[in-house]
Amino acid sequence: MGVPVYLQNGKMYGTVCAIDPEPYAFTQDEIEVMERLSSIFAVILENATNSSCNTVDDKLMRLEKLALLGQLSAGLAHELRNPMQSVKGFVQFLFEDQVDNHFRDIVLSEIDQMDNLIHDFLLVTQPTAPKKGHYDINEVVCETVEFIQSKAALHNVEMSVSVDSDKFDVYVDRIQIKQVMINILKNAIEAVEESGKVMINVSTIGNKEVTIEVVDNGIGIPIAVIGRLGEPFFSTKEGGTGLGLSISKRIIQEHKGTISFENKKDGTKVTITLPK
Ligand SMILES: Nc1ncnc2c1ncn2[C@@H]1O[C@H](COP(=O)(O)OP(=O)(O)OP(=O)(O)O)[C@@H](O)[C@H]1O
Ligand SMILES: [Mg+2]
């Protein structure tokens, strides 16, 4: 027996079938049961179609709202930079003839901190296209290590670099790759206790890509947290913005490379690969 399933708009959706392998005449009661079943199916189908439409519509609406919110906050962040720069200029001007002024220095350093935060925020919301060139990766890494050395010394952290080739050119945006290295090294330094160690290994096995490993003997990354690394604003640090890894991940992806995190017995290993 086949009973049609009609939707509210009169369209036939399909049929509900009852099959018996033996020749058999269905009774009136059985036909009525099947008809009731068919109307129940129609209601279920109608609800399922409507609710899946709503979910998609809701999701789209939420995404549009998020995109708008992103645009608005990026615009706001951008506009905040101009008045901040003029506040900075006036503070410098007002205290021009005072060499040592503790309060002026605090105001200026707070303004710089706000400016850095806005700069990082804009990098996430409005990423700039990489300006690539051929650069020796060993040089880029060593320059970054030199740059971050003062922070390491402040925390009494020992940094060591090992490279396995004299020169290995990669096609990258030098500034962006340096920024990634600074973010990763900063995290490593912040993760190790006083007198900790951070090792950087650059290897170019196979001559096709370069692998940069940053290994620290710090607190390690909790398993529950590993999946969330690189999520914008995810941070377990007091005062951390949670933008460092999110920016780094995006930059590495744009360079068609990879970045991965490994929890070691005592510390963390971050591995970056970049194609030649
Ligand atoms: N080497 C590491 N050892 C332990 N935890 C780490 C390490 N690197 C990253 N993490 C974890 O990943 C989180 C996110 O790092 P991310 O650099 O994005 O932000 P952050 O360091 O908290 O803040 P900031 O934006 O100032 O860098 C950190 O808060 C920390 O929990
Ligand atoms: Mg960080």
Side-chain angles (χ1 to χ4, degrees), residues 120 183-184 186-192 216 218-222 225 228-231 234-237 239-247 261 267-270:
D120 284 356
N183 289 338
I184 305 296
K186 254 177 68 190
N187 282 347
I189 294 168
E190 283 160 4
V192 298
D216 68 62
I219 50 171
I221 307 173
V225 161
R228 299 194 62 190
L229 298 184
E231 198 179 287
F234 173 75
S235 175
T236 58
K237 295 174 196 167
T241 64
L243 290 176
L245 289 185
S246 143
I247 294 169
F261 306 89
T268 302
K269 177 158 107 179
V270 182

